[in-house]
């Protein structure tokens, strides 16, 4: 403990940013519009769209100052680098230090705001209070109007968690693992029911605040960017079908804005209960794609699960939408001049934007293959599944080698697999 | 009819040259375009020239704006076109104003043409709009302010934040509002090769084009920012393509953190392999037979206990036993004999098992930690309890044994065995006497380790022996229930 006191802010930042990097989310979007124009001393704005102020070589966006208040932790979750039995170097920020750092970075336009999480010190309540204190100083003493994402601790009192929601743009609670068995095994101090109970409470707070806002213009805002969660992929035996099922239940039950997936990555000083190798990064990518299918393409969770292979996992070599189309070939080809929006959204290679463009253009002309090519990124991927005035795929959807024809080349795959 | 009217105002064959006062002056374009459309000047008879553009080529052209006839029709333009045009006008493409005019001209006869996404002009204006929006977005993201401290002794002077940025398109003025709303109470300047903006918390001032040297060369806070950038990067996942797509190299030179990228990339693979090694994560597939486990544990050096002068001790008993008895680790005698529970604690265990009527030969007996941990005191090897991390590391083997034997009931004796089963440290007095369901469907019972009894005397020992017997009796009863 004494040794810690000698840590400089730079050393602490290194330790506590390093410890925070296993949280995937860095989103700063979807919150209420705020501006500091006309305020006495305020700083900051949010305009709905998130901004990535930099990208790290891991391809991830750096939008927020994402740090832990401390990486001391009384919990012993095996997948976590900060667990009690881990030998990592420990450090601890004071709330004021986090505030100063956030403002200094914000003024130089490095960040959109703060994403604060913490290991559990002393007690869950004490830790949650410290997190809330950072947000309080930022909002009340500095009139900070940038983005704040607070990780809340399911074991803490609802009262304090509620306070966090009043200061934050977004709150999140990690479900950590897709199955309860996995949680029991890898996070023995955590309790799935407690986590879901806390998420349910946040959901209630969100709807209540929204309700109040409709009636009273100045009703306090509660986490206008909603709540999100994160699941670790590949640390337990859960299949993609399990994960997709869990995610869709979470979306339904807790009206989450996002479920983040984090491919389990080898952590320093790992516990031996963990799997041995990290899952391919492409698996995380496929899960995000399936997430998109459910959120923007009208697929039901059951349909995404239909795209999985015999082992319950999504194929890695092709995307889940193509996998689904190859399994249900009788639904194709689709006539781009006649098909409904729902049918068009199922065509592999047609994104939401392309579908809207097709729908708008076909009011003005009968689309030929050339026209469709102009509206999409790659016509070769789309061609086997569509009919235009001058194009009809001859028996193409019956070909057994269609998958090989359409699967991206291995070299391209490597780019993601890195 | 219409043609006859417009002839009064436009000479046939006139070539118009419109000189824009500023490259981003959309308002000026709009006024001129409206008049030209009303005079029915076709797109191919107009040259739009921006400042610095080569207007001399058109020296013979008409530079005065045409005056529309008083009864000219109102010019039509829909919302979608206006939204795109405002942005597209900021693009650096010299042909942008001609494109906008051509579209406006065509909209007059086909008001819904903007919906035709397959049209070449419509696609082009959408491309320009997209490029400008992207450039603006990147400006919001990648401008980096550097602090200029106020001069000493000057009490009125404010902290001043200055940035140097090189946008690709004419977007500076259009984005002043963003920085104003965000940094309203800061004094700041954004300098670019096309012009500069200065904000003093109340008014916005425009200044002339600047040079990189006009902006400060550094900021003490950048060291912290760079260290944050390096620390938040996860070297276990390298996706350079994804980074380059969103943060192309052309922006790097004005971003203090970008200088780190080459070394971070180079170090990433090295760091990952180092992490995996340090993490003792070298296990391959789970062994599928008890023989394979036996062989593997003898070679196991994943924790320091394996490095001592000892030999691994494998569990023993029927491969399909209903009961698995798990202790802490082999002791001195077990290590020498190569069999579990043959020393003093094992002998005591046998006595108690016999007392309650459990047949040890029908149970699979094993240890949580496979090697004997000790410290040498003279000739004697003194038992040392394994640490939490050593137990967790060794858990791999006991789990492999469980997967093969698949016992219905596991009796964990002592805190180490309980941790090996549960992954967390529990208090024996709190959990003993009750079944704990395990995820594979089996159930766990926890009791004290017999060596604990050996260390006690008198009434305390009697009390503990009674509790131990009670636990064993409960296990026996439960086993019989499960067998039914």
């Amino acid at each position: 403990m004494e040794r810690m006191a000698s840590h400089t802010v730079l050393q602490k930042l290194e330790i506590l940013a390093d410890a925070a990097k296993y949280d995937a989310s860095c989103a700063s979007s979807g919150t209420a519009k705020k501006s500091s124009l006309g305020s006495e001393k305020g700083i900051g704005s949010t305009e709905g769209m998130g901004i990535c102020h930099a990208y790290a070589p891991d391809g991830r966006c750096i939008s927020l100052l994402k740090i832990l208040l401390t990486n001391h932790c009384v919990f012993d979750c095996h997948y976590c680098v900060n667990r009690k039995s881990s030998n990592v170097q420990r450090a601890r920020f004071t709330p004021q230090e986090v505030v100063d750092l956030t403002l200094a970075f914000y003024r130089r336009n490095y960040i959109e705001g703060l994403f604060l999480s913490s290991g559990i010190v002393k007690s869950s309540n004490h830790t949650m209070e410290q997190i809330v204190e950072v947000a309080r100083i930022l909002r009340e003493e500095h009139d900070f109007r940038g983005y704040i994402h607070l990780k809340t601790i399911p074991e803490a009192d609802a009262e304090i968690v509620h306070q966090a929601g009043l200061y934050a743009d977004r709150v999140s609670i990690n479900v950590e693992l897709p199955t309860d068995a996995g949680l029991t095994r890898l996070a023995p101090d955590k309790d799935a029911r407690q986590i879901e109970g806390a998420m349910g409470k946040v959901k209630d707070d969100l709807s209540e605040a929204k309700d109040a806002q409709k009636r009273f213009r100045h009703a306090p805002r509660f986490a206008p960017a909603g709540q999100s969660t994160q699941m670790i992929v590949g640390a337990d035996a859960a299949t993609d079908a399990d994960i997709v099922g869990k995610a869709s239940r979470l979306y339904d039950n807790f009206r989450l804005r996002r479920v983040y997936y984090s491919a389990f990555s080898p952590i320093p000083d790992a516990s031996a209960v963990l799997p041995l190798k990290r899952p391919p990064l492409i698996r995380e990518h496929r899960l995000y794609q399936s997430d998109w299918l459910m959120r923007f393409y009208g697929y039901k969770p059951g349909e995404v699960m239909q795209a999985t292979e015999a082992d319950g996992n999504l194929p890695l070599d092709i995307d889940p939408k193509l996998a689904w189309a190859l399994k249900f070939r009788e639904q194709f080809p689709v006539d781009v001049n006649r098909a409904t929006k729902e049918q068009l959204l199922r065509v592999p290679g047609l994104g939401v934007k392309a579908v809207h463009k097709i729908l708008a253009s076909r009011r003005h002309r009968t689309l030929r293959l050339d026209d469709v090519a102009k509206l999409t990124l790659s016509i070769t991927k789309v061609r086997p599944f569509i009919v235009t005035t001058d194009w009809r795929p001859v028996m193409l959807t019956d070909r057994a080698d269609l998958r090989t024809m359409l699967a991206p080349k291995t070299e391209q795959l490597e780019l993601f697999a890195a | 009819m219409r043609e006859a009217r417009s002839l009064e105002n436009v000479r046939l064959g006139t070539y118009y040259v419109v000189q824009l006062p500023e490259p981003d002056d959309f308002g000026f374009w709009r006024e001129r375009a409206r008049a030209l459309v009303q005079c029915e000047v076709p797109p191919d008879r107009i040259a739009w020239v921006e400042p610095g553009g080569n207007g001399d080529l058109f020296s013979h052209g008409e530079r005065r704006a045409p005056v529309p006839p008083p009864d000219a029709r109102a010019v039509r333009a829909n919302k979608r076109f206006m939204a795109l045009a405002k942005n597209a006008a900021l693009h650096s493409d010299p042909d942008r104003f001609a494109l906008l005019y051509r579209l406006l001209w065509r909209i007059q006869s086909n008001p819904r043409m903007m919906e035709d996404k397959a049209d070449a002009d419509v696609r082009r204006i959408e491309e320009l709009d997209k490029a400008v929006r992207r450039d603006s977005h990147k400006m919001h993201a990648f401008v980096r302010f550097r602090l200029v401290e106020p001069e000493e002794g000057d009490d009125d002077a404010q902290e001043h934040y200055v940035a140097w940025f090189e946008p690709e398109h004419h977007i500076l003025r259009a984005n002043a509002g963003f920085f104003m709303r965000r940094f309203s109470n800061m004094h700041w300047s954004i300098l670019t090769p096309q012009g500069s903006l200065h904000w003093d918390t109340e008014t916005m001032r425009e200044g002339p084009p600047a040079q990189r040297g006009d902006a400060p060369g550094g900021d003490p806070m950048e060291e912290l920012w760079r260290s944050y950038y390096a620390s938040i990067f996860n070297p276990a996942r390298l996706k350079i393509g994804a980074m380059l797509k969103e943060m192309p190299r052309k922006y790097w030179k004005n971003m203090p953190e970008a200088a780190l990228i080459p070394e971070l990339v180079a170090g990433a693979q090295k760091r990952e392999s180092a992490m995996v090694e340090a993490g003792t994560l070298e296990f391959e597939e789970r062994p599928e037979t008890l023989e394979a486990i036996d062989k593997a544990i003898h070679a196991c050096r994943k924790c320091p206990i394996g490095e001592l002068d000892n030999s691994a001790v494998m569990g023993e008993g029927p491969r399909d036993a209903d009961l698995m008895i798990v202790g802490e680790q082999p002791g001195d005698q077990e290590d020498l004999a190569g069999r579990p529970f043959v020393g003093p604690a094992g002998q005591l265990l046998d006595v108690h098992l016999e007392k309650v009527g459990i047949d040890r030969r029908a149970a699979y007996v094993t240890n949580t930690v496979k090697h004997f941990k000790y410290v040498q005191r003279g000739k004697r090897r003194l038992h040392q309890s394994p640490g939490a991390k050593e137990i967790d590391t060794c858990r791999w083997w006991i789990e492999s044994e469980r997967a093969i034997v698949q016992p219905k009931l596991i009796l964990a004796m002592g805190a180490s065995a309980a941790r090996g089963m549960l992954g967390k440290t529990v208090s024996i007095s709190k959990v003993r006497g009750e079944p704990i369901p395990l995820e594979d469907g089996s159930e766990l019972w926890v009791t004290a380790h017999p060596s604990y009894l050996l260390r006690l005397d008198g009434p305390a020992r009697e009390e503990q022996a009674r509790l131990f017997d009670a636990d064993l009796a409960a296990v026996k009863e439960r086993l019989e229930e499960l067998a039914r």
Side-chain angles (χ1 to χ4, degrees):
Chain A
M1 289 288 162
E2 260 48 63
R3 191 167 47 92
M4 243 171 44
S6 62
H7 277 164
T8 64
V9 170
L10 179 73
Q11 288 166 321
K12 291 188 196 178
L13 179 65
E14 275 170 4
I15 295 169
L16 295 170
D18 191 84
K21 70 182 162 205
Y22 302 97
D23 250 312
S25 165
C26 199
S28 56
S29 55
T31 190
K33 275 198 172 190
K34 294 190 287 265
S35 152
S36 53
L37 213 54
S39 73
E40 190 97 332
K41 55 169 180 160
I43 177 166
S45 63
T46 49
E47 310 210 332
M49 196 169 26
I51 299 174
C52 295
H53 284 270
Y55 288 82
D58 54 16
R60 292 209 281 210
C61 149
I62 300 175
S63 178
L64 304 171
L65 171 62
K66 183 163 61 175
I67 46 173
L68 301 189
L69 197 53
T70 173
N71 63 342
H72 287 277
C73 193
V74 296
F75 282 6
D76 207 7
C77 309
H78 289 280
Y79 52 80
C80 180
V81 66
N82 303 315
R83 68 183 190 286
K84 189 170 58 178
S85 55
S86 162
N87 288 332
V88 292
Q89 218 184 348
R90 310 279 173 170
R92 185 173 189 168
F93 271 132
T94 64
Q96 190 60 48
E97 283 171 331
V98 175
V99 167
D100 293 344
L101 207 50
T102 307
L103 290 173
F105 279 10
Y106 197 88
R107 288 198 184 102
R108 287 159 181 81
N109 202 40
Y110 300 160
I111 53 170
E112 284 295 288
L114 174 68
F115 179 173
L116 188 62
S117 182
S118 182
I120 315 285
V121 274
K122 286 190 194 166
S123 69
S124 300
N125 278 346
H126 171 80
T127 310
M128 197 66 231
E129 276 162 8
Q130 294 280 298
I131 291 176
V132 170
E133 175 64 5
V134 172
R136 188 198 64 77
I137 301 177
L138 277 171
R139 291 284 197 235
E140 291 186 353
E141 292 180 17
H142 298 277
D143 197 3
F144 177 69
R145 302 181 182 196
Y147 194 93
I148 298 182
H149 179 163
L150 298 181
K151 184 124 292 187
T152 58
I153 299 165
E155 293 80 11
D157 286 351
E159 188 85 349
I160 315 172
V161 175
H162 181 79
Q163 199 62 37
L166 292 178
Y167 291 125
D169 289 279
R170 169 171 285 184
V171 290
S172 63
I173 300 169
N174 284 358
V175 296
E176 310 291 9
L177 292 158
T179 61
D180 291 359
L183 194 71
T184 316
R185 184 177 134 84
L186 296 177
D189 302 303
K190 294 202 180 187
D191 175 2
R193 282 170 52 199
Q194 197 163 32
I195 292 174
E196 299 208 345
M199 287 166 81
K201 177 75 178 64
V202 171
K203 180 197 138 191
D204 294 343
D205 285 349
L206 283 165
S207 356
E208 217 167 272
K210 220 173 193 177
D211 227 42
Q213 203 113 58
K214 276 182 205 147
R215 282 176 289 148
F216 315 104
R217 204 159 54 89
H218 293 292
R221 286 178 186 281
F222 185 88
Q227 69 167 330
S228 64
T229 192
Q230 168 170 306
M231 260 190 263
I232 296 165
V233 175
D236 63 356
T239 63
D240 289 349
D242 295 337
I243 293 169
V244 168
K246 174 85 177 186
S248 84
R249 275 197 306 284
L250 290 172
Y251 277 124
D252 289 349
N253 295 346
F254 306 113
R255 274 190 294 159
L256 295 178
R257 286 290 182 89
R258 276 292 292 278
V259 173
Y260 289 94
Y261 300 109
S262 173
F264 163 73
S265 46
I267 48 175
D269 205 35
S271 155
V273 194
L274 285 176
L276 350 162
K277 277 177 206 142
R278 73 187 150 107
L281 275 185
I282 190 83
R283 183 172 175 203
E284 180 189 297
H285 184 63
R286 295 295 180 226
L287 281 166
Y288 276 124
Q289 287 177 322
S290 72
D291 196 54
W292 249 245
L293 291 185
M294 290 192 288
R295 290 165 64 210
F296 305 116
Y297 288 80
Y299 286 72
K300 298 202 173 62
E303 291 177 309
V304 174
M305 289 184 209
Q306 285 170 342
T308 59
E309 300 189 317
D311 63 356
N313 285 329
L314 294 166
L316 295 180
D317 58 338
I318 54 173
D319 64 79
K321 192 175 173 189
L322 179 57
W324 188 88
L326 291 175
K327 269 200 179 170
F328 298 94
R329 296 186 191 196
E330 70 280 1
Q331 312 245 1
F332 301 95
V334 160
D335 185 341
V336 289
N337 286 302
R338 291 205 176 80
T340 60
K341 182 178 165 190
E342 289 70 31
Q343 285 173 315
L344 287 171
L345 282 171
R346 303 244 160 176
V347 174
L350 288 186
V352 177
K353 273 191 191 159
V355 167
H356 284 154
K357 283 184 191 166
I358 287 174
L359 292 173
S361 311
R362 74 185 188 186
R363 277 187 228 123
H364 296 270
R365 58 173 83 200
T366 320
L367 296 171
R368 294 153 11 106
L369 194 63
D370 255 11
D371 298 323
V372 180
K374 287 178 195 160
L375 303 176
T376 59
L377 283 176
S378 153
I379 191 67
T380 34
K381 203 178 169 192
V382 179
R383 205 160 44 188
F385 300 97
I386 60 167
V387 170
T388 63
T389 45
D390 60 340
W391 166 262
R392 174 172 288 276
V394 183
M395 304 295 287
L396 202 54
T397 43
D398 293 334
R399 288 180 61 150
D401 61 349
L402 188 55
R403 179 175 177 148
T404 355
M405 283 174 58
L406 294 172
K409 303 282 171 282
T410 356
E411 294 83 45
Q412 278 172 296
L413 245 169
E414 283 301 310
L415 223 148
F416 295 102
Chain B
M1 185 67 180
R2 269 191 87 193
E3 266 176 40
R5 266 206 314 270
S6 57
L7 282 177
E8 299 164 14
N9 297 282
V10 177
R11 275 176 292 134
L12 258 181
T14 308
Y15 201 96
Y16 285 88
V17 177
V18 185
Q19 182 79 46
L20 289 128
E22 295 285 346
D24 61 350
D25 198 340
F26 177 70
F28 183 87
W29 174 86
R30 190 173 55 187
E31 289 314 311
R32 285 301 170 95
R34 179 187 289 140
L36 288 162
V37 168
Q38 286 185 322
C39 294
E40 298 191 19
V41 180
D44 57 2
R45 303 218 60 84
I46 310 171
W48 300 89
V49 182
E50 58 184 305
N54 201 342
D56 296 347
L57 284 175
F58 311 102
S59 53
H60 60 285
E62 173 59 62
R63 283 170 188 271
R64 286 168 303 179
V67 182
D71 57 343
R73 276 204 220 171
V75 174
R76 314 192 219 197
N78 53 41
K79 262 191 188 162
R80 172 76 184 149
F81 171 75
M82 289 305 285
L84 291 174
K86 261 183 206 161
N87 262 331
L90 309 180
H91 200 280
S92 53
D93 180 357
D95 294 332
R96 64 192 179 280
F97 291 111
L99 170 75
L100 296 185
Y101 187 77
R102 198 158 60 241
L103 276 162
L104 185 65
W105 177 261
R106 292 177 60 200
I107 285 173
Q108 304 312 307
S109 55
N110 179 7
R112 302 189 65 183
M113 72 161 296
M114 291 304 291
E115 292 169 21
D116 185 359
K117 309 289 180 188
D119 181 273
D121 283 344
V122 174
R123 275 174 49 224
R124 181 64 188 153
I125 190 177
E126 290 190 340
E127 278 169 22
L128 296 187
D129 164 67
K130 197 175 165 190
V132 168
R133 275 187 296 131
R134 184 178 156 96
D135 202 33
S136 297
H137 189 72
K138 295 302 177 196
M139 178 174 175
H140 299 170
F142 299 152
V143 156
R144 296 284 181 263
F145 285 113
R146 285 171 164 166
L147 177 62
V148 182
E149 298 277 358
E151 304 225 348
E152 273 187 48
D154 186 354
D155 290 341
D156 292 336
Q158 298 283 334
E159 289 185 336
H160 189 192
Y161 290 85
V162 182
W164 166 251
F165 191 70
E166 295 165 67
E168 198 174 328
H169 305 294
H170 305 286
I171 56 166
L172 179 66
R173 207 173 281 137
N175 285 294
F178 172 85
F179 291 96
M180 213 164 77
R181 289 188 292 278
R182 175 155 291 198
F183 303 112
S184 59
N185 289 306
M186 258 164 53
H187 291 247
W188 56 260
S189 300
I190 298 176
L191 313 179
T192 81
Q194 284 99 39
S196 46
L197 292 174
H198 307 278
W199 173 255
D200 64 357
T201 75
E202 274 165 14
T203 47
M204 185 72 74
R205 202 163 47 78
E206 280 183 29
Q211 289 174 336
R212 182 194 301 273
D214 299 338
D219 184 310
M221 198 48 71
E222 285 174 2
E223 189 194 356
L224 277 169
W225 171 240
R226 268 194 294 267
S227 109
Y228 175 70
Y229 181 79
S231 305
I232 203 71
F233 159 58
N234 184 353
R237 35 186 303 158
L238 206 52
K239 282 183 164 185
I240 301 167
M243 170 186 66
L244 284 173
K245 186 165 165 259
E246 296 299 337
M247 198 171 79
R249 277 179 218 278
K250 66 178 180 197
Y251 294 109
W252 290 14
K253 58 180 183 292
N254 295 324
M255 300 172 71
E257 65 274 26
L260 295 177
I261 293 171
E263 56 178 290
L264 289 178
V265 171
Q269 297 297 353
K270 226 163 72 187
R271 268 174 73 181
E272 183 187 3
S273 48
M275 273 205 312
V276 172
E277 261 171 47
T280 70
L281 274 179
E282 286 292 311
F283 295 106
E284 297 298 327
E285 299 293 308
R286 273 193 190 282
E288 283 175 4
T289 62
L290 293 174
E291 292 72 30
I293 298 176
D294 195 3
K295 204 173 152 200
I297 57 174
H298 279 85
C300 183
R301 300 286 180 269
K302 297 193 194 307
C303 75
I305 311 179
E307 306 284 354
L308 297 171
D309 183 15
N310 55 17
S311 175
V313 176
M314 180 65 184
E316 63 177 29
R319 200 200 149 281
D320 55 354
D322 284 346
L323 172 65
M324 181 181 270
I325 300 176
V326 186
E328 181 189 70
Q329 63 170 347
D332 180 60
Q333 296 194 28
E334 283 82 4
D335 182 47
L336 297 173
R339 291 183 54 211
F341 283 103
V342 293
Q347 287 158 19
L348 184 64
L349 173 66
D350 288 345
V351 170
H352 285 272
L353 286 175
E354 203 173 332
K355 195 163 154 194
V356 299
I358 294 176
D359 181 5
R360 173 171 165 173
R361 284 164 305 173
Y364 185 88
V365 181
T366 187
N367 279 305
T368 308
V369 172
K370 300 303 177 198
H371 282 93
F372 175 37
K373 183 177 178 186
Y374 63 88
V375 281
Q376 194 80 40
R377 286 280 180 277
K379 284 185 180 169
R380 293 177 60 205
R381 300 192 293 176
L382 282 186
H383 165 273
Q384 291 266 292
S385 293
K389 184 148 187 270
E390 290 154 348
I391 295 171
D392 292 346
T393 305
C394 220
R395 212 175 150 189
W396 173 256
W397 302 120
I398 185 82
E399 285 187 344
S400 303
E401 285 177 283
R402 276 173 58 193
I404 295 165
V405 178
Q406 297 188 347
K408 290 181 178 148
L409 193 153
I410 298 171
L411 175 65
M413 301 190 300
S416 298
R419 186 181 173 96
M421 295 299 122
L422 294 169
K424 62 177 170 181
T425 304
V426 291
S427 149
I428 305 246
S429 58
K430 281 187 191 149
V431 298
R432 73 191 304 170
E434 290 291 333
I436 301 167
L438 294 176
E439 60 183 292
D440 62 356
S442 61
E443 59 186 55
L444 172 71
W445 290 67
V446 176
T447 187
H449 196 277
S451 64
Y452 175 54
L453 305 186
L454 287 176
R455 292 199 297 272
L456 297 171
D457 290 318
R461 176 157 180 176
E462 269 168 41
E463 169 65 10
Q464 284 302 321
R466 195 183 56 74
L467 288 171
F468 190 60
D469 286 342
D471 286 341
L472 292 184
V475 163
K476 178 178 156 59
E477 193 182 325
R478 183 68 185 138
L479 267 176
E480 282 163 1
E481 270 175 39
L482 288 171
R484 259 180 245 145

